[in-house]
Amino acid sequence: MGADGTHEAKTTYREAMREALREALCSDDRVFLMGEDVGRYGGCFGVSLGLLEEFGPERVRDTPLSESAFVGAGIGAALAGMRPIVEIMTVNFSLLALDQILNNAATLLHMSGGQLPVPLVIRMTTGAGRQLAAQHSHSLEGWYAHIPGIRVLAPATLEDARHMLAPALADPDPVLIFEHGSLYNVSGELLPTTAPVNLDHAAIRRPGTDISLITYGGSLPKALAAADDLAAEGISAEVIDLRTLRPLDAVAITASVARTHRAVVIDEAWRTGSLAAEVSARIAEESFYELDAPVERVCSAEVPMPYARRLEEAALPQTADIVAAAHRAVN
């Protein structure tokens, strides 16, 4: 029972995403889901399980193994007035559709003088930590956050997994949603709500006064665990979940640094040219005189992701790495 007397529902991140898809399909006949194995197989990660039986093959469409083709078909459907949700199995496969995303989806509204909106949602799994080796463990969200004309989302909580899809479908621009594979089995209490998620703002997941831990997606649980460890040592860490990677909520970032005067940026991508680099540069540009210590960054090792579990864990940002970076900044 919740504090307001309502019953809380136990669910997983995967189930929250599935319910968001079900709600979208129920509420608008223009919405359909397409991608590899989204129908009979129920999605590579089980997110769309049961939707084919509920909505039929016209609304839940299995596609050939050609990302360029079915992303292009999604762009065409959006131009024709539909509201397609395209699922790309994992982020590395999205590179096969990069021409469609960068040169078509992101540019058509601008190139047509506002006459051709592309209300397309593209979902894909991202991230490492599941022993899928170098080809299936990329974190390329920062690449896509570089592209004008699209919105890039990284839901990290049950609430965002459940409620980000509806405003994404209402956006006239293409929206890319990156779902970290390590989050699918995360379970918890999901309070019923009718309030839409504001896609323009980052979220303070934990308030603090001594240091800002700024992250997104699959690194959020590690940042929260680091904040717990730091709290046991008397260090109050504020945890900022960026949620929307393009456009970045620079106001939330600078406001947090103004409160804490120190920052650690956690990003599972490689350090060089990363989103962490962009966030750090913005802090330097806009909050330099608020800082009491250099900005710290915690990123993945600059190697293709290893398969062996211990090597993979060593290559990825871990809670202990975040704590150590916070100690350097505070001390």
Side-chain angles (χ1 to χ4, degrees):
M1 185 77 74
D4 60 355
T6 59
H7 286 280
E8 297 173 341
K10 189 85 169 180
T11 190
T12 65
Y13 184 99
R14 174 186 290 106
E15 291 163 346
M17 289 296 311
R18 184 185 304 138
E19 190 55 35
L21 290 168
R22 178 178 288 111
E23 179 186 65
L25 290 162
C26 285
S27 62
D28 190 340
D29 290 339
R30 299 173 298 172
V31 173
F32 68 95
L33 174 66
M34 65 189 298
E36 296 166 0
D37 291 330
V38 299
R40 292 177 62 186
Y41 189 71
C44 182
F45 296 92
V47 173
S48 55
L49 192 66
L51 296 183
L52 173 64
E53 292 76 10
E54 186 173 351
F55 295 98
E58 293 294 312
R59 308 286 304 283
V60 181
R61 298 186 170 215
D62 284 320
T63 67
L65 302 182
S66 176
E67 283 75 14
S68 180
F70 66 73
V71 171
I75 293 170
L79 289 169
M82 301 296 284
R83 294 295 183 270
I85 303 170
V86 175
E87 177 179 309
I88 297 176
M89 195 175 291
T90 52
V91 64
N92 57 291
F93 291 127
S94 73
L95 301 182
L96 298 167
L98 187 57
D99 176 56
Q100 294 285 11
I101 296 169
L102 171 61
N103 286 324
N104 291 318
T107 61
L108 284 171
L109 184 65
H110 170 76
M111 291 172 63
S112 66
Q115 298 178 79
L116 297 175
V118 185
L120 167 72
V121 171
I122 302 175
R123 299 174 40 246
M124 65 188 89
T125 303
T126 188
R130 295 162 291 136
Q131 283 191 277
L132 295 178
Q135 288 187 325
H136 300 291
S137 301
H138 295 88
S139 293
L140 303 180
E141 307 88 80
W143 287 18
Y144 289 98
H146 177 68
I147 302 171
I150 61 175
R151 184 184 291 271
V152 178
L153 308 180
T157 65
L158 296 177
E159 290 74 22
D160 280 357
R162 173 64 182 85
H163 297 293
M164 271 189 164
L165 182 60
L169 282 166
D171 197 308
D173 289 324
V175 178
L176 273 58
I177 302 179
F178 290 87
E179 304 162 16
H180 199 284
S182 69
L183 297 175
Y184 283 128
N185 290 329
V186 172
S187 64
E189 308 293 342
L190 180 63
L191 283 170
T193 178
T194 57
V197 174
N198 189 321
L199 301 184
D200 293 325
H201 296 296
I204 301 173
R205 299 301 184 192
R206 177 179 178 137
T209 57
D210 295 328
I211 192 165
S212 298
L213 307 181
I214 303 169
T215 191
Y216 67 90
S219 296
L220 177 63
K222 297 176 182 179
L224 290 169
D228 287 339
D229 291 348
L230 291 166
E233 303 172 12
I235 300 172
S236 174
E238 180 160 281
V239 179
I240 302 294
D241 176 7
L242 294 173
R243 300 201 296 175
T244 298
L245 310 185
R246 185 178 187 97
L248 276 174
D249 186 357
V251 172
I253 295 169
T254 55
S256 181
V257 173
R259 287 188 291 270
T260 67
H261 308 291
R262 300 171 180 86
V264 178
V265 185
I266 306 102
D267 182 0
E268 194 175 299
W270 297 301
R271 181 185 180 95
T272 301
S274 63
L275 189 74
E278 174 65 24
V279 173
S280 300
R282 293 203 185 195
I283 293 172
E285 288 172 347
E286 301 171 22
S287 302
F288 181 81
Y289 292 105
E290 295 287 355
L291 290 171
D292 288 342
V295 176
E296 294 280 344
R297 284 192 286 159
V298 180
C299 300
S300 287
E302 306 231 345
V303 297
M305 193 57 60
Y307 168 76
R309 179 171 296 281
R310 289 182 182 274
L311 292 177
E312 183 183 41
E313 290 173 352
L316 288 168
Q318 302 294 351
T319 298
D321 302 320
I322 302 170
V323 171
H327 283 159
R328 290 193 296 270
V330 170
N331 295 329

